[in-house]
Amino acid sequence: MAPGGGVGRVRGLLASDDDEPNVAVVLLAAGVAAAVLSPLLWLFVSAADLSVGDAVGLVASGTTTDVLVNSLALVTLVTGASIALGVPLAVLTVQTDLPFRRLWTVLAALPLVVPSYIGAFAYVSAFGPSGALPDLLAEYGLGFVNAYIPTVYGLGGTALVLTLFTYPYVFLTTRASLLSFDTTQLEAARTLNHSYPRAFRRVILPQIAPGVTAGALLVALYTLSDFGTPAIMRFDVFTRVIYVELNSFGVGRANATLLSIQLLAVTAVILALESRVSGDTAAGYGTPSSAKRVVSLGWLRWPAAGIPAFVSVFTLALPVGILTMWLVRSGPGYSGGGLAFRPEFATNSAYVAVLTAAATVLFALPVAYYAGRSDSLLARAVDRATYLGYAMPGVVLGLALVFFSSRWLLETFGAGAAQLVYQSLPLLVFAYVVRFLPQAVGSTRSSVLGVDRDLVGAARLLGANPRSAFRRVTLPLISPGLLAGAALVFLTTMKELDTTLILHPTGFTTIVTYIWRVQEAGYYGRAALPALVLVAVSGLSMIPLLKGSDDA
Amino acid sequence: MTDDATHDHMSDDDTTTGRRTYRRRRVLAGLGAAGAAGLAGCGGLGGSESDSGSGGGGGGAGGGSSGDDAIGAAFDDFRGSGPLAQGRSDIGGTRIADLPNLSGELTIYLGGGEGGLYRDLLAKFERIYPDFTATPRESGSADAANTIINEGGATPADVFWSVDAGALAAVSAEGLSAELPSEVVDPVPEAFHPDETWVGTAGRARAVPYNTEELSDDDIPDSVMEFPEVEGFRDAIGWAPTYGAFQSFVTAMRLLEGEDATREWLQGMLDAGVTEYNNEFLVSNSVADGALNGGLANHYYALRVQAARPDAPIDLAFTSGDAGGLINVAGASVLSASRNQELAFDFVRHLLSAEAQEFFATRTYSYPMVADIPPVGGLPPVSELNPPSIDLRELSDIQPTLELMRDVGVL
């Protein structure tokens, strides 16, 4: 894969041709950004109905300030804690001689497949009032301890649960950076008598920082957009308050619009900050492995394995245990109605998630290619723009698309157009693309950055036109990044609830809509099996995410 | 306690001790003793023990639907199973056989849907009418309402059937609901269709589940506002403040008694050592376990507990004329953009048929909206309850309620 010296020499010949992507790519990328931003226009259409006085009053109100402060506190805590958890786990599993590294790698990444609303529910059932833990303690005569257990609700609990189920974003991006890190540099540092910690700080950290930041950004934006956890853990952040406002109708709808616009502004600020922190050499999830175990833990080998094991107790054993408890324990005493769980729901989920993964990669490719090949302001703006939809609560995005694909289409193009588009599968897939595009853009862009331009130059020199050079050289090289992005999108689509509920084609039941249906009526026992199926199917998508580690 | 003595005075005693009398009836109905004795108690209210299968119910159904045997036989199909659904013979109301046939297709937005029970009912209608197809679409009741509001005139929905009256009112306020003909709404008391744009299909009452081994009905005041001072509730009452129905109850209190009194009440309950639960099933279950003496919950949770554990020492009290006695409803609207309005009206009439009302009463333990169909388990009929006079549409104004609850530290 390394470029030959001869090729290097002809780089100059082709540099002018290859440095900037051609107009078609730019237009495609800008088109994608415009398409995924378009639903957000709805917020401004709705806001236009408000009087300026009301709007200013709402924005300046005490509640709004509280919500902003709460949201920022939560994002800061979750992002910080995810880095604190994800980076050491990545270092342990990539760079040390930890026993069963592959197992720990899988277990450390797996919490990503647990939907946050299930994770939060499991935590409330375990630690909440009259939960499993207080009951257990009381049973063994330790009831007095309960008074000292901090409440699971509020900032602490919300941050804990979100961290436990989103830190894998940081883990995965950091891991990819570490895998593509040239370990000879570390060895050089060690020969200069640097201890490992010192070498880590001076050599490794600067190089993996972009990868860590990329993961941290996904965590931060996911935290802003997540509704389930703060709702269940009762912490007033943007999503929860927006939802409550939407529930109270009337003026609430206007409030929800304004809060969503504020959320959008917060997202924009975070994106701008991240741009300044990270150089544009962010690593993705699928860069090829160059890892060698470089640190011998010595006698600490086995005790160190306790760290990922300990984390897994809280991220995997506990939620799965609670689900199993629900499954075994009989539900409340009246016969529930409705459909029993059918395998078809799982295939529906997987089907739409595969479609979404494919569509997202197609949308991501021009954006990532453009952003990876150009340093222009437009490239940067296009790349960042795709992240805005990711921080929108699913319910807001869903309602925006309801407006455009039904009323707006009807009024603009007639009833036929609205009927064709509204509540169709392609519309649902588009909604998912808007939500999850950044997950694919990030990993694809870093693989584009990883492609040596001299190789493309060589192909051109040998007579290939740009298209053919892309197909025969670039595409195969970035395919691991594409696949990793697709896998990430697949598993987040599998667990996305709000958008699915609002936009699914009528009669199209998926695992999550089924879980919602039975859980809404309090039949937790009947939610357990589909939840376990969801976790299992999503778990399979971890395979491409973790490929590229050839360690045992 | 002198159950039998007061029992006879039930009907002429409504204004003063009415609340107690129907509790007494429930003691007879549900808790007399375990097993056979419990069933015998049920029998006292209507049917007999021979009602396994089509016995008790079939007789009543046959009488009402003489025109169509197939539909008459189907009556039991609508009725739930279990002890609380037994011995119900004197069912009035309009039978499906007496309603216009359903033929055609309807798209029905379900706001909520009680875990699929609404779908079950639709499937039963489809079995009765081969030419009828109902396409349900489920989401949360507020999501569904907001979806319809965003769709405006482009909505594919013919009917909006929601577990929450506030959602129906929100759609109606946007001018998107059609006016229901009088033959649709007439069987339902006016409180449950404040205007003609929606009609209640089943009700749920706020109630006070209490442990019969710890408290007697006399210990529970008629007014929920007095609860913080009740000795028997000190450190032994439970609630579920995150539950929507509880928040509606606090909203009702806020509207009826004012913000200050509500704040005082919430604080008083905290001072009285109220225990918090995640949902009202757990509250009711803890009352049955004896962990609590009493609680605040929707009425049907105690019945769910009782259906699972027939000898559990749990009973229900209802407060009178205040937020504690609030009755909220699920209901249905027909959308003005629908091109199948006639069919949709007939469909809503089917939701109010004796069979459908029996379905809600015996499977979800809801309050039937039609007076001729009694609630299960010896519950007092809707006409004997004394709910506060409050416009259910105002219950969607929960934001100030949440702020208040947060302020006091309940949330």
Side-chain angles (χ1 to χ4, degrees):
Chain A
M1 212 216 266
V7 178
R9 258 179 277 132
V10 296
R11 179 168 20 178
L13 289 174
L14 295 154
S16 58
D17 208 52
D18 266 322
D19 259 346
E20 286 294 317
N22 65 34
V23 180
V25 172
V26 177
L27 284 179
L28 263 180
V32 166
V36 299
L37 284 181
S38 61
L40 304 181
L41 280 177
W42 173 65
L43 293 175
F44 297 98
V45 173
S46 322
D49 294 342
L50 283 167
S51 80
V52 177
D54 288 351
V56 171
L58 277 169
V59 171
S61 75
T63 322
T64 312
T65 321
D66 288 352
V67 170
L68 180 66
V69 169
N70 285 352
S71 297
L72 291 178
L74 185 67
V75 167
T76 311
L77 264 181
V78 173
T79 311
S82 294
I83 293 172
L85 202 55
V87 173
L89 281 173
V91 171
L92 267 181
T93 52
V94 172
Q95 291 204 316
T96 70
D97 58 350
L98 192 74
F100 309 115
R101 282 205 298 170
R102 168 148 284 199
L103 172 73
W104 299 127
T105 305
V106 172
L107 291 185
L110 214 49
L112 206 54
V113 308
V114 179
S116 63
Y117 46 91
I118 289 179
F121 234 97
Y123 268 78
V124 170
S125 338
F127 299 109
S130 68
L133 178 74
D135 281 1
L136 205 68
L137 288 173
E139 206 167 296
Y140 289 98
L142 296 168
F144 64 91
V145 178
N146 285 332
Y148 301 101
I149 300 177
T151 173
V152 73
Y153 298 111
L155 177 61
T158 312
L160 174 76
V161 169
L162 273 168
T163 302
L164 289 177
F165 298 103
T166 57
Y167 85 83
Y169 284 120
V170 176
F171 171 78
L172 286 170
T173 52
T174 307
R175 178 173 178 276
S177 304
L178 286 169
L179 285 172
S180 58
F181 171 72
D182 187 352
T183 48
T184 53
Q185 292 184 34
L186 182 61
E187 278 151 24
R190 299 295 297 274
T191 56
L192 295 172
N193 257 343
H194 283 5
S195 65
Y196 177 80
R198 184 146 179 228
F200 180 83
R201 207 173 59 241
R202 298 195 49 179
V203 181
I204 303 178
L205 205 54
Q207 295 208 35
I208 64 168
V212 175
T213 323
L217 179 64
L218 289 178
V219 169
L221 297 188
Y222 184 93
T223 303
L224 275 182
S225 74
D226 185 52
F227 166 70
T229 312
I232 294 167
M233 315 295 270
R234 303 182 209 164
F235 188 58
D236 275 329
V237 290
F238 277 114
T239 47
R240 185 178 185 220
V241 178
I242 287 171
Y243 193 80
V244 168
E245 292 289 356
L246 281 172
N247 269 287
S248 61
F249 310 110
V251 70
R253 280 171 60 85
N255 290 0
T257 304
L258 286 176
L259 285 164
S260 303
I261 291 174
Q262 286 182 54
L263 173 56
L264 211 59
V266 171
T267 313
V269 170
I270 291 179
L271 285 169
L273 281 178
E274 196 262 354
S275 295
R276 303 190 67 166
V277 174
S278 81
D280 229 350
T281 48
Y285 318 94
T287 25
S289 161
S290 67
K292 273 185 277 173
R293 273 165 270 179
V294 288
V295 182
S296 177
L297 292 170
W299 65 272
L300 280 171
R301 261 187 97 211
W302 290 95
I307 297 171
F310 182 73
V311 173
S312 305
V313 167
F314 292 95
T315 55
L316 297 169
L318 189 134
V320 171
I322 293 280
L323 287 177
T324 314
M325 197 176 87
W326 283 345
L327 190 63
V328 174
R329 213 170 51 178
S330 64
Y334 85 84
S335 57
L339 300 166
F341 184 70
R342 291 210 298 255
E344 170 199 328
F345 304 157
T347 50
N348 280 348
S349 280
Y351 172 62
V352 72
V354 165
L355 283 182
T356 303
T360 310
V361 165
L362 279 182
F363 272 66
L365 198 50
V367 175
Y369 190 77
Y370 182 34
R373 278 282 178 266
S374 166
D375 292 327
S376 70
L377 196 64
L378 180 65
R380 212 164 250 271
V382 163
D383 175 61
R384 300 281 98 174
T386 59
Y387 281 73
L388 280 174
Y390 188 52
M392 270 295 109
V395 58
V396 173
L397 177 66
L399 289 174
L401 285 171
V402 165
F403 173 81
F404 282 117
S405 61
S406 62
R407 193 198 297 196
W408 185 78
L409 273 185
L410 175 87
E411 284 163 9
T412 318
F413 296 103
Q419 266 166 23
L420 195 68
V421 175
Y422 188 48
Q423 293 175 1
S424 69
L425 201 59
L427 182 72
L428 180 63
V429 169
F430 176 69
Y432 290 142
V433 171
V434 174
R435 290 274 282 130
F436 304 132
L437 190 58
Q439 297 187 343
V441 168
S443 65
T444 310
R445 186 189 52 213
S446 41
S447 351
V448 169
L449 284 165
V451 173
D452 196 318
R453 295 193 193 188
D454 294 347
L455 283 175
V456 184
R460 295 296 311 278
L461 195 68
L462 294 170
N465 60 27
R467 186 173 304 175
S468 147
F470 176 81
R471 206 182 62 239
R472 296 180 60 188
V473 178
T474 310
L475 201 55
L477 286 175
I478 63 171
S479 63
L482 286 176
L483 190 63
L488 207 55
V489 171
F490 174 88
L491 76 88
T492 32
T493 304
M494 288 285 291
K495 58 182 187 174
E496 168 64 21
L497 176 62
D498 296 320
T499 329
T500 317
L501 269 181
I502 294 178
L503 291 173
H504 69 273
T506 301
F508 186 82
T509 305
T510 67
I511 300 181
V512 286
T513 55
Y514 181 81
I515 291 176
W516 173 84
R517 184 190 300 164
V518 293
Q519 187 172 291
E520 182 234 9
Y523 299 117
Y524 303 122
R526 289 172 61 191
L529 176 68
L532 289 169
V533 170
L534 176 66
V535 169
V537 176
S538 310
L540 294 179
S541 66
M542 279 287 160
I543 295 169
L545 281 176
L546 295 172
K547 263 179 83 172
S549 59
D550 36 45
D551 49 321
Chain B
M1 268 180 54
T2 51
D3 292 340
D4 297 329
T6 40
H7 187 241
D8 294 334
H9 301 296
M10 182 180 69
S11 49
D12 47 26
D13 225 24
D14 266 344
T15 46
T16 52
T17 56
R19 179 177 54 77
R20 280 172 211 140
T21 52
Y22 35 70
R23 266 184 279 134
R24 227 140 256 144
R25 285 205 313 185
R26 247 186 57 66
V27 172
L28 288 175
L31 307 173
L39 274 178
C42 273
L45 281 179
S48 69
E49 270 192 79
S50 68
D51 47 22
S52 60
S54 59
S65 59
S66 49
D68 188 332
D69 279 350
I71 289 172
F75 198 93
D76 281 338
D77 187 38
F78 284 87
R79 179 171 287 161
S81 54
L84 288 170
Q86 308 300 331
R88 295 169 57 80
S89 59
D90 49 350
I91 307 296
T94 309
R95 296 297 160 106
I96 286 177
D98 302 326
L99 290 172
N101 286 346
L102 299 180
S103 168
E105 287 181 30
L106 285 179
T107 298
I108 298 164
Y109 278 17
L110 298 177
E114 312 217 8
L117 273 157
Y118 286 11
R119 280 173 177 270
D120 281 0
L121 184 64
L122 297 178
K124 289 185 191 305
F125 289 155
E126 286 179 332
R127 272 201 296 278
I128 296 175
Y129 302 111
D131 295 335
F132 174 65
T133 311
T135 311
R137 196 180 157 81
E138 270 168 314
S139 55
S141 61
D143 280 358
N146 279 315
T147 299
I148 294 174
I149 292 170
N150 273 20
E151 291 166 346
T155 185
D158 300 298
V159 174
F160 178 31
W161 180 12
S162 168
V163 296
D164 173 39
L168 295 164
V171 169
S172 163
E174 299 283 327
L176 298 169
S177 312
E179 185 154 317
L180 300 168
S182 59
E183 75 257 26
V184 177
V185 297
D186 277 352
V188 176
E190 209 161 303
F192 306 123
H193 68 98
D195 54 38
E196 313 298 296
T197 58
W198 59 270
V199 62
T201 52
R204 48 186 185 270
R206 295 301 297 171
V208 185
Y210 68 94
N211 186 298
T212 51
E213 286 167 0
E214 300 294 333
L215 293 180
S216 82
D217 44 27
D218 297 324
D219 298 326
I220 298 164
D222 235 7
S223 161
V224 76
M225 300 312 286
E226 293 169 28
F227 278 26
E229 279 83 50
V230 174
E231 210 34 58
F233 287 159
R234 180 153 288 276
D235 296 322
I237 187 165
W239 68 16
T242 55
Y243 186 57
F246 181 84
Q247 292 169 359
S248 293
F249 151 72
V250 178
T251 306
M253 186 185 289
R254 198 169 52 76
L255 296 170
L256 291 165
E257 320 281 342
E259 197 127 320
D260 292 339
T262 308
R263 182 188 302 270
E264 218 168 279
W265 184 85
L266 290 168
Q267 188 60 52
M269 291 296 287
L270 287 181
D271 294 343
V274 65
T275 309
E276 178 181 335
Y277 288 79
N278 284 327
N279 63 56
E280 295 189 339
F281 177 78
L282 289 176
V283 172
S284 304
N285 208 35
S286 296
V287 169
D289 288 342
L292 294 175
N293 291 347
L296 293 158
N298 275 349
H299 78 273
Y300 50 84
Y301 287 109
L303 293 163
R304 280 205 207 182
V305 170
Q306 212 182 31
R309 304 155 59 185
D311 10 330
I314 185 171
D315 205 343
L316 284 176
F318 296 84
T319 65
S320 184
D322 62 15
L326 181 72
I327 299 180
N328 204 343
V329 294
S333 275
V334 172
L335 295 162
S336 43
S338 163
R339 270 167 291 179
N340 301 308
Q341 284 195 6
E342 287 309 316
L343 176 60
F345 293 145
D346 287 340
F347 169 77
V348 176
R349 292 185 72 185
H350 276 73
L351 295 181
L352 299 169
S353 68
E355 287 89 341
Q357 292 291 301
E358 181 74 357
F359 180 91
F360 300 136
T362 57
R363 287 177 194 255
T364 67
Y365 309 138
S366 298
Y367 264 104
M369 287 284 100
V370 178
D372 297 326
I373 292 112
V376 293
L379 287 173
V382 151
S383 55
E384 285 179 27
L385 294 182
N386 182 15
S389 42
I390 194 168
D391 187 340
L392 294 177
R393 291 170 290 192
E394 292 181 49
L395 294 180
S396 62
D397 188 22
I398 56 170
Q399 189 60 47
T401 306
L402 296 179
E403 275 164 28
L404 186 61
M405 290 169 72
R406 240 172 263 139
D407 245 24
V408 180
V410 172
L411 272 181

